[in-house]
Amino acid sequence: MNIMKAENYVEMSVQASEYISKKIESKPNITLGLATGSTPKGLYAKLIKNYLRHEISFQQVSTINLDEHIGINQTDPNSYHFYMKTQLFDHIDIRETQTHLPYGNAQDLAKECDRYDLLINRLGGIDLQILGIGHNGHIGFNEPGSSVNSRTQVVRLTESTRKANAKFFKSFDDVPTHAITMGIASILESKEILLLASGRLKAKVIERLVKGKLTKRFRHQP
Ligand code: PGA
């Protein structure tokens, strides 16, 4: 594990965008795993800048996102489909058919989970996964205690996650109770992971991630 420190949020976003831009340069048809939330917004803005300066092209890049809320339409400003379009996809030369997110409004969510896992396989796995981390340590929407063997699944969001996300919604009651998320196993199989965290509130969870002991639950997984 390499730890890259940055002075502040902007510096973190610049470092991450330079790292990813170099990866795209060396493998133009890279598969990037993407995250949403507040943390990667600055990174996406910097990637757009690099694209506009003709430093990188996303023509051959494929993307696969971590998660989506259940029961929200793709056009809803609180959907991660909408987030990705407005924060990144609409501003770069990526092909829409090469961008992938799970559908939280699929009629058959079990089938949608299977489709997503097959898609990850079809893409040959994830070359570089970008991650944020929740205050409670969740990755994607895999809340603490999720199995390390999990694949794409429907999960119930904890109250703390819903509270953290309430800032994006009109009220706490509008925050969805469930989400569809890529599983821990698929995330861990990524060839490389770049986890971003910024701010005092994230310091504790990063300390536990880096220095904490493996929990019993994790050790006992086959
Ligand atoms: P944030 O969310 O970037 O909005 O803090 C991170 C996460 O919940 O994974």
Side-chain angles (χ1 to χ4, degrees), residues 66-67 131-146 148 158 160-161 164 181 184 187-188 195-197 201-210 215 218:
L66 285 171
D67 46 21
L131 291 182
I133 188 165
H135 297 110
N136 66 354
H138 74 207
I139 294 284
F141 272 131
N142 297 287
E143 300 287 18
S146 293
V148 286
T158 61
S160 73
T161 295
T181 182
I184 299 274
I187 295 169
L188 291 179
L195 188 149
L196 303 177
L201 289 176
K202 293 285 172 77
K204 258 210 170 92
V205 73
I206 290 299
E207 188 182 11
R208 285 185 64 194
L209 178 91
V210 176
T215 63
F218 189 91

Side-chain angles (χ1 to χ4, degrees), residues 68-82 104-105:
E68 178 59 286
H69 288 114
I70 301 254
I72 283 191
N73 276 327
Q74 286 133 254
T75 49
D76 187 306
N78 279 313
S79 77
Y80 291 159
H81 280 80
F82 187 89
N105 55 355

